[in-house]
Amino acid sequence: MTNPLRAVLVGCGGISNAWLKPLSEMAGVELVGLVDLLEGNAQAQAQKYGLSGVEVSNNLSALLDHTKPDVVFDCTVPEAHMDVTIEALGRGCHVLGETPMADSMANARRMVAVARAAGKTYAVMQNRRYLADIRAVRASLESDVFGPLTTLNCDFYIASHFDGFRNQMRHALLLDMAIHAFDQARFLTGADPVSVYCKEWNPGGSWYAHGASAVAVFPMSNGMVYTYRGSWCAEGKATTLESDWRIIGQHGSILWDGGSNMSAEIAEWKDDSTSEVQPIEIAPYTGTKIGGHAGLIADFVDCIQNGRIPETACMDNIKSLAMVFAAIESADTGLPVPIEIYGDY
């Protein structure tokens, strides 16, 4: 039997709940430390999840020296991701961190380089990949019944009244949330972005300090076009957090609301000039890669214990991050941005 991985979690704010609940119950992990700049936050989370044996600290370096973990889970704010990750990799730890991977492409590239040099695994939390519904949609697309894909559209419209940093951050939608939809687009299609044109604005009545709405158009490497429309301050008729999707192939289309509602039709040709559409079922996903945060963490732990590469490893996830920063550059300049310039990973 494989010994549990010794783990330290850094950053005990609200998002840490999505990590600590599964980690406190996961046989493959032994939590040995919690770190937060406000040590009381770490103490509160230890008490909440019954982690009486863990050490708490406001000093990551000191706790790593004392506990010598195998893995660090990074739940800090984006600006801290590079420092936490490089510190952990330098101590011989594998790292799984929250999105976005970094607060700049330069920092992301440095993190990838350090992970490679250390020979350690660094992966990023893209929890949407570990939902049964998106796995079912992707499996249908991989069957090729819809033919080559031509168009992928997604809409994200939610009125989120946050407390904290998001209300004041620049590019709150693109940097903090769109990364999930951009990664979903790559995951669903197996394609990578070629370029992007993005328009960002702050709608009237917005409670955000900066642009909370955006539209982006990405030509993709397989010849299809992916469009993203979104807003953090759209009152009424909300989409799911996973976005609302239309996927169009040469032979048919899928509508998916990001949850359990999905429908599909394909064309049946009667002769060379006429066709009729027929509904088809999308088979449920029956595999094991489910569970959102919990599923991805469990898969990451299994990868470390069995020498596999996680599908959200930094070398891949940096491509989703490149979509974010290219979209931000396009929004700032008003010009299309080729994403190849971000591609030297």
Side-chain angles (χ1 to χ4, degrees):
M1 181 177 176
T2 304
N3 291 329
L5 297 177
R6 293 171 57 81
V8 164
L9 184 140
V10 189
C12 294
I15 194 61
S16 68
N17 291 295
W19 294 66
L20 287 169
K21 185 178 189 304
L23 284 170
S24 64
E25 302 166 351
M26 197 171 291
V29 177
E30 178 190 0
L31 277 170
V32 296
L34 298 178
V35 180
D36 195 274
L37 291 176
L38 300 175
E39 190 171 319
N41 290 345
Q43 292 171 339
Q45 290 297 73
Q47 183 176 5
K48 179 177 179 178
Y49 291 97
L51 304 173
S52 58
V54 305
E55 295 191 37
V56 300
S57 178
N58 60 9
N59 187 314
L60 175 61
S61 297
L63 192 66
L64 292 178
D65 283 340
H66 192 252
T67 59
K68 295 180 171 51
D70 305 299
V71 173
V72 167
F73 297 118
D74 178 15
C75 298
T76 61
V77 297
E79 293 79 5
H81 288 176
M82 183 183 73
D83 289 343
V84 168
T85 297
I86 288 177
E87 172 91 10
L89 292 169
R91 303 301 184 92
C93 302
H94 304 283
V95 180
L96 177 63
E98 262 295 345
T99 53
M101 179 178 172
D103 60 348
S104 72
M105 284 302 296
N107 286 346
R109 290 193 191 97
R110 184 179 173 196
M111 294 157 80
V112 172
V114 171
R116 283 176 168 154
K120 296 296 178 179
T121 297
Y122 167 45
V124 182
M125 175 56 73
Q126 296 290 173
N127 54 301
R128 269 81 174 166
R129 292 187 178 218
Y130 284 74
L131 299 175
D133 297 314
I134 196 171
R135 295 273 173 182
V137 173
R138 189 175 79 152
S140 291
L141 295 174
E142 289 175 337
S143 71
D144 203 35
V145 68
F146 298 96
L149 298 181
T150 66
T151 309
L152 179 67
N153 299 330
C154 83
D155 290 334
F156 174 87
Y157 291 108
I158 290 178
S160 289
H161 295 263
F162 293 110
D163 292 324
F165 69 94
R166 290 179 180 88
N167 288 341
Q168 298 299 318
M169 73 183 292
R170 289 182 55 79
H171 312 293
L173 177 72
L174 289 172
L175 185 58
D176 186 58
M177 191 63 194
I179 180 67
H180 294 291
F182 295 171
D183 188 72
Q184 285 174 276
R186 292 184 54 241
F187 177 70
L188 284 167
T189 66
D192 291 324
V194 175
S195 63
V196 61
Y197 173 74
C198 181
K199 170 67 177 177
E200 181 187 51
W201 70 101
N202 209 24
S206 172
W207 48 93
Y208 291 84
H210 304 284
S213 297
V215 173
V217 180
F218 294 90
M220 303 293 280
S221 58
N222 62 353
M224 63 173 280
V225 173
Y226 164 51
T227 68
Y228 171 84
R229 304 186 301 179
S231 180
W232 263 139
C233 57
E235 296 283 11
K237 305 299 285 186
T239 66
T240 65
L241 283 168
E242 285 68 47
S243 299
D244 192 80
W245 299 80
R246 178 183 287 267
I247 309 163
I248 305 173
Q250 292 182 15
H251 304 150
S253 299
I254 296 176
L255 293 180
W256 174 47
D257 73 347
S260 59
N261 295 316
M262 57 188 74
S263 60
E265 292 179 338
I266 58 171
E268 292 187 356
W269 289 88
K270 302 303 181 183
D271 52 46
D272 290 340
S273 60
T274 61
S275 67
E276 293 181 359
V277 293
Q278 300 292 333
I280 64 168
E281 293 293 325
I282 297 176
Y285 175 70
T286 58
T288 59
K289 290 191 174 184
I290 57 174
H293 272 76
L296 194 154
I297 293 168
D299 192 41
F300 174 82
V301 168
D302 186 73
C303 286
I304 300 306
Q305 292 176 330
N306 293 287
R308 296 189 294 112
I309 298 175
E311 63 180 60
T312 64
C314 59
M315 295 81 72
D316 179 81
N317 192 252
I318 196 171
K319 299 176 184 178
S320 298
L321 189 70
M323 296 174 76
V324 172
F325 284 106
I328 288 172
E329 181 178 341
S330 177
D332 284 344
T333 64
L335 299 171
V337 173
I339 298 182
E340 289 93 335
I341 67 171
Y342 292 92
D344 183 14
Y345 307 129

